[in-house]
Amino acid sequence: MAALRIDVLTLFPEMFAGPLQAGLLGKALREGLLTVELTQIRDFATDKHRTVDDAPYGGGPGMVMKCEPLVAAAEGLRDRNSLERVVMLSPRGRSLTQAMIREWAAAPDLVLVCGRYEGIDERVAKALGAEEVSIGDYVLSGGEMPALVIIEALSRMIPGVVGNFESVETDSFYNGILGPPQYTRPQEFRGMEVPEVLREGNHAVIERWRRKEAIRQTMRVRPDLLDRCAGDDTKLIRELKREQDAPLEGETP
Ligand code: SAM
């Protein structure tokens, strides 16, 4: 399988240097398991000041990224990128999910467009057939960090990047819900013990305990994800609900 190719359009390519060298992502790039190419949008401006932004129509504060340099930068990739999936980072976009990451990782290539200032002229998305994607309900100053979030999440889906793929499969969201709690040595820390079940070595019991704890945490902080549970998970949800409803010791039912 050919390596996934990611092209990033940005005004700040220097922001990528550190993150693209570190950890599993850095190793994957060095081994050619994926390719990331950075394109400076300003190189596609045509005036002598290399202008990439202009004042907003209708007035208001700040500047807006212009259509022409951005579209020229994207179309300049045509000899090496299919441009079939162009993602524009924007707080106005669809929220990023693990399901989107899994789908994109299966494609041969992707373009990530990083905005700055007040954002990008609305017509760029239409001209490039791009989808807008947000990494969360907050506003950053640019799309570079969101692009790095996407690149790192994508890299984890590529076979060979995470040494043991089982660790990806047990991560939060991979199976729809949050992941289970984790413990390591020492057995006791400040009066808190590692749950006994994890120390007893019965793998079937451990697996069930982990799934139940994953569901418990999902019920507590992300009940919206529980719709994705089926089969044995439904039994565990019922069990947890019964436990919640059960009277506490010494309480009259
Ligand atoms: N005026 C824009 C709005 O209200 O939606 C915000 C522009 S923001 C200051 C500048 C750039 O940062 C955006 O064009 C986008 O590329 C990036 N950005 C900021 N927050 C983001 C988020 N939550 N997800 C993805 N990209 C984001």
Side-chain angles (χ1 to χ4, degrees), residues 89-92 113-120 133-136 138-143 146:
L89 285 319
S90 164
R92 298 176 66 237
V113 184
C114 306
R116 280 271 152 178
Y117 318 123
E118 288 303 314
I120 297 174
V133 172
S134 164
I135 63 157
Y138 42 80
V139 177
L140 302 167
S141 300

Side-chain angles (χ1 to χ4, degrees), residues 30-253:
R30 287 191 291 279
E31 288 175 0
L33 297 175
L34 78 160
T35 306
V36 176
E37 293 279 336
L38 306 168
T39 297
Q40 168 57 267
I41 299 163
R42 209 173 281 287
D43 291 346
F44 292 81
T46 47
D47 64 323
K48 74 170 191 243
H49 301 293
R50 310 216 307 152
T51 309
V52 290
D53 58 322
D54 205 340
Y57 268 107
M63 300 295 267
V64 174
M65 284 178 74
K66 289 166 66 59
C67 295
E68 304 92 320
L70 251 174
V71 171
E75 290 179 344
L77 299 169
R78 215 164 236 149
D79 57 341
R80 45 203 196 278
N81 192 306
S82 69
L83 302 190
E84 269 174 28
R85 175 152 274 134
V86 181
V87 170
M88 278 180 37
L89 285 319
S90 164
R92 298 176 66 237
R94 188 158 69 105
S95 290
L96 182 67
T97 63
Q98 189 68 31
M100 286 151 77
I101 292 291
R102 280 173 84 168
E103 187 190 331
W104 301 348
D109 53 24
L110 171 74
V111 181
L112 298 174
V113 184
C114 306
R116 280 271 152 178
Y117 318 123
E118 288 303 314
I120 297 174
D121 187 306
E122 190 68 15
R123 294 164 293 182
V124 172
K126 291 211 175 81
L128 298 176
E131 59 182 309
E132 289 183 285
V133 172
S134 164
I135 63 157
D137 294 348
Y138 42 80
V139 177
L140 302 167
S141 300
E144 285 74 15
M145 307 271 205
L148 281 164
V149 165
I150 292 177
I151 293 169
E152 181 150 298
L154 282 170
S155 73
R156 292 179 62 80
M157 294 298 105
I158 297 171
V161 173
V162 178
N164 182 352
F165 202 72
E166 206 188 313
S167 87
V168 170
E169 289 167 344
T170 56
D171 277 342
S172 293
F173 306 113
Y174 192 87
N175 288 314
I177 61 168
L178 305 181
Q182 304 284 0
Y183 296 88
T184 186
R185 276 187 283 253
Q187 187 178 312
E188 192 252 63
F189 178 70
R190 297 192 175 173
M192 293 174 280
E193 285 272 345
V194 173
E196 205 175 332
V197 59
L198 298 178
R199 292 184 269 128
E200 283 169 349
N202 181 331
H203 290 295
V205 177
I206 291 175
E207 274 322 294
R208 189 174 191 281
W209 180 88
R210 284 193 166 138
R211 193 68 188 169
K212 188 169 170 184
E213 291 311 307
I215 294 177
R216 191 195 300 278
Q217 176 71 354
T218 309
M219 277 171 94
R220 211 164 64 81
V221 302
R222 292 294 306 275
D224 55 302
L225 299 175
L226 288 176
D227 297 348
R228 303 172 195 186
C229 290
D232 285 349
D233 285 350
T234 339
K235 278 192 221 151
L236 290 171
I237 292 173
R238 275 202 300 270
E239 206 173 295
L240 282 160
K241 285 196 172 140
R242 273 199 306 273
E243 285 170 21
Q244 273 176 358
D245 295 342
L248 296 173
E249 241 177 57
E251 223 178 41
T252 352

